[in-house]
Amino acid sequence: MHRQRTRLAARINRVAKTFEFRGIIATYKLHDRLLTNQAARRRFQRSAPGLDEVQRRVLQSLETDGYALLPFSELVPDTSLWEALEQEGDRFAGATAEGLRQEAAGESSGLRRTGKDFVVRRDAYGSRIRLDDPWLRIVADRRLLDVANAYLELWSKIEYVDLWYTAPQPEDAERRASQRWHRDYDDRYLLKVFVYLTDVDEEAGPFEYVPGSQPGGAYDHLWPWHPMSESYPPQDELSAKVGDSAKTFTGPKGTVILCNTSGFHRGGFVTGKPRVLATATYCSPASLAALTERNFALEAGGNGSLDPAVRYALG
């Protein structure tokens, strides 16, 4: 009888999850085709941003290959923004290194990890972030936001804002979780930005990407993205199909990578020195309505005076 009840409970759980997944998929499609995404597209069409030469070049690369690579100073010329981010990155890296030393000594550190134990996050989920936070200021600046909106062809939402510290793995470690090739399930309309806050070589877990695996690309058909899709394909099979087309992004401090991570990517397999970076995600409103939730909430006050596109992105 106990075994029968266990089997019945497992069957009920599977059925419930199936209905839950179907509901999520239906909600996403409804918001994409009729509700929030359509409204966001109309907002974009009424006030499409004028892009300069650098922004247009980034947009063309994103549309062609699914990624763009350039120095921070070229995309965001305001040196004060870089200096503030660099200082915050140094502060976070120092605090994390001290926390890791405390953990090694058997003490409590208070370091934040969510899902991936090899990544320490400044904010993780449930954080409150001020509008004057250095990284949020950059992410919400029209230099980046206009590129994101132009690429997604709608007024986007800022879904995720964080700094990551990835520590070296043991010598016998194997790739786990996002260190393996995968598509992000967040959204089909997705743009992620990474800024290296340390020099990143082959031993520092560089980001890797398969150009053409983004929507509409040559590899879009391989284990294609759909809401609630299986993120991780058989790794050897994927490598065989894409050959040597994958790109590895080593680079100095200040390197910026923008990419559609519904395409295949991986990173963070650190074997040498730690990797510190800033990361953020722009998505469509349909994603927040169905597939994902923000990792942060804004500190109260001050957003009423923001530019409309920025206020929408943060709202």
Side-chain angles (χ1 to χ4, degrees), residues 239-300:
S239 296
K241 290 181 181 295
V242 302
D244 60 357
S245 62
K247 301 292 184 183
T248 299
F249 299 103
T250 57
K253 184 179 188 177
T255 296
V256 178
I257 306 160
L258 299 101
C259 58
N260 186 333
T261 54
S262 66
F264 287 114
H265 62 288
R266 66 181 183 179
F269 189 63
V270 177
T271 58
K273 60 186 179 183
R275 184 190 71 173
V276 183
L277 58 76
T279 183
T281 303
Y282 303 91
C283 68
S284 78
S287 179
L288 288 181
L291 297 178
T292 56
E293 63 181 30
R294 279 198 171 102
N295 75 307
F296 70 96
L298 286 179
E299 291 283 1

Side-chain angles (χ1 to χ4, degrees), residues 175-192:
R175 288 181 178 270
R176 296 176 291 146
S178 60
Q179 296 169 339
R180 302 168 65 234
W181 291 114
H182 66 287
R183 296 184 186 273
D184 284 349
Y185 67 86
D186 305 48
D187 201 350
R188 183 173 178 84
Y189 312 99
L190 192 66
L191 184 65
K192 189 166 286 188

Side-chain angles (χ1 to χ4, degrees), residues 198-213:
T198 52
D199 296 338
V200 175
D201 57 19
E202 290 283 357
E203 295 183 344
F207 181 76
E208 297 178 85
Y209 191 80
V210 178
S213 61

Side-chain angles (χ1 to χ4, degrees), residues 32 64 68 90 92 145 151 233 255 265:
D32 179 31
T64 302
D90 290 345
F92 168 65
L145 183 60
Y151 176 61
T255 296
H265 62 288

Side-chain angles (χ1 to χ4, degrees), residues 1-20:
M1 179 65 70
H2 174 72
R3 180 175 296 177
Q4 289 177 343
R5 283 200 297 266
T6 301
R7 288 176 177 172
L8 178 60
R11 189 177 303 119
I12 292 172
N13 188 50
R14 287 197 299 271
V15 171
K17 283 188 176 297
T18 298
F19 278 106
E20 180 184 9

